[in-house]
């Protein structure tokens, strides 16, 4: 298996622009997690899905952030409008519910100028 | 409620010396415990996990960790550090009945030649 695939690996955008991050979980996994990592705040859970349904989005910082999982093989995290303080590395992870191990993608490094 | 405390955000050891990274957790129920490693510009990789059974768990790259319930600890050790061990290490806890992982703030390991 190719593992969790995230795209793009790097994104540079200007303040106010819309940003869409993409994630393809491991085939057969039925939970998906979005994290944000910064030097100041470490690794933060933003939202997670079980069987494509959002279960807990309490970590989503503001209404500017939204996440969707239209099917078992794809999820997006959207920021609209983006702000410089959104600059961070965003990770997606997936897990098979029967096995309590999360597998991480390589991350998307977002820079908002 | 779950929480994870990693003592020491930065640890430096000489090549060939013992590596000891500390992790304490608080949990109202027996948890699953994990150590992840993050190399520069990469995602988190599972190093080892404890679920049930033997309290001394062996992982990849010569690392091991011991679950001590009485001390609520899950410290990571390696007898002899190698230059390639330089990375960020995260301890995580997950209740076996739950979905979320709770990550510590990470410990950056530097190996001095």
């Amino acid at each position: 298996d190719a593992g969790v695939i995230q795209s793009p690996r790097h994104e540079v955008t200007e303040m106010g622009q819309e940003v869409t991050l993409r994630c393809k979980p491991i085939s057969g996994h039925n939970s998906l997690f979005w994290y944000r990592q910064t030097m100041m705040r470490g690794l933060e859970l933003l939202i997670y899905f079980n069987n494509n349904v959002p279960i807990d989005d309490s970590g989503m910082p503001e209404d500017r952030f939204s996440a969707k999982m239209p099917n078992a093989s794809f999820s997006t995290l959207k920021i609209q409008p983006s702000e410089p303080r959104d600059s961070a590395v965003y990770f997606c992870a997936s897990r098979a519910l029967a096995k309590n191990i999360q597998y991480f993608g390589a991350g998307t490094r977002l820079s908002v100028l | 409620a779950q929480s994870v405390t990693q003592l020491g955000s930065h640890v430096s050891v000489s090549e060939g010396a013992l590596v000891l990274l500390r992790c304490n957790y608080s949990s109202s129920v027996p948890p699953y415990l994990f150590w992840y490693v993050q190399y520069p510009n990469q995602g988190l990789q599972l190093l080892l996990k404890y679920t049930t059974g033997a309290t001394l768990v062996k992982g990849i790259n010569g690392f091991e960790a011991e679950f001590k319930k009485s001390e609520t600890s899950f410290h990571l050790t390696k007898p002899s550090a190698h230059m390639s061990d330089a990375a960020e290490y995260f301890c995580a806890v997950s209740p076996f009945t739950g979905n979320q992982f709770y990550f510590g703030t990470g410990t950056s390991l530097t190996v001095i030649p």
Side-chain angles (χ1 to χ4, degrees):
Chain A
D1 199 313
V4 177
I5 300 173
Q6 291 186 245
S7 63
R9 288 297 312 276
H10 302 275
E11 177 80 36
V12 180
T13 190
E14 292 185 348
M15 182 174 64
Q17 296 298 307
E18 177 180 295
V19 174
T20 300
L21 311 181
R22 296 173 175 79
C23 176
K24 177 179 169 55
I26 293 172
S27 178
H29 283 193
N30 38 20
S31 291
L32 184 139
F33 304 76
W34 281 102
Y35 293 88
R36 178 173 67 177
Q37 185 178 38
T38 61
M39 290 292 292
M40 292 296 295
R41 302 172 71 93
L43 197 62
E44 304 172 275
L45 176 65
L46 300 177
I47 185 172
Y48 76 92
F49 298 81
N50 281 352
N51 297 316
N52 313 336
V53 176
I55 301 301
D56 184 353
D57 65 353
S58 60
M60 296 285 262
E62 299 171 33
D63 292 345
R64 299 184 295 106
F65 286 69
S66 62
K68 294 182 179 179
M69 191 165 187
N71 56 62
S73 60
F74 184 65
S75 177
T76 59
L77 177 67
K78 185 176 293 187
I79 308 172
Q80 166 64 16
S82 58
E83 296 182 3
R85 59 195 169 117
D86 301 331
S87 297
V89 181
Y90 291 82
F91 288 104
C92 175
S94 72
R95 183 194 70 173
L97 277 174
K99 293 186 176 182
N100 199 6
I101 300 173
Q102 291 192 15
Y103 294 89
F104 283 75
T108 294
R109 183 174 297 275
L110 173 65
S111 297
V112 183
L113 306 177
Chain B
Q2 314 277 334
S3 70
V4 179
T5 302
Q6 290 184 242
L7 293 175
S9 58
H10 298 275
V11 171
S12 293
V13 300
S14 297
E15 190 174 15
L18 172 71
V19 176
L20 171 60
L21 305 183
R22 300 178 186 274
C23 174
N24 288 88
Y25 67 92
S26 65
S27 174
S28 55
V29 296
Y32 290 164
L33 296 159
F34 306 82
W35 276 99
Y36 281 82
V37 60
Q38 183 181 27
Y39 298 104
N41 300 314
Q42 295 187 26
L44 279 69
Q45 302 175 31
L46 181 67
L47 204 53
L48 50 78
K49 68 181 188 297
Y50 169 81
T51 54
T52 59
T55 56
L56 182 62
V57 179
K58 296 186 184 298
I60 61 172
N61 301 336
F63 284 92
E64 60 183 36
E66 186 171 11
F67 169 56
K68 292 187 177 181
K69 185 177 179 181
S70 61
E71 298 177 7
T72 60
S73 70
F74 192 56
H75 301 332
L76 181 70
T77 60
K78 182 173 179 178
S80 177
H82 192 273
M83 295 299 293
S84 60
D85 295 328
E88 188 89 14
Y89 292 81
F90 292 91
C91 181
V93 59
S94 176
F96 66 83
T97 57
N99 293 299
Q100 289 197 32
F101 275 38
Y102 299 87
F103 284 89
T105 52
T107 297
S108 177
L109 176 66
T110 299
V111 181
I112 303 167

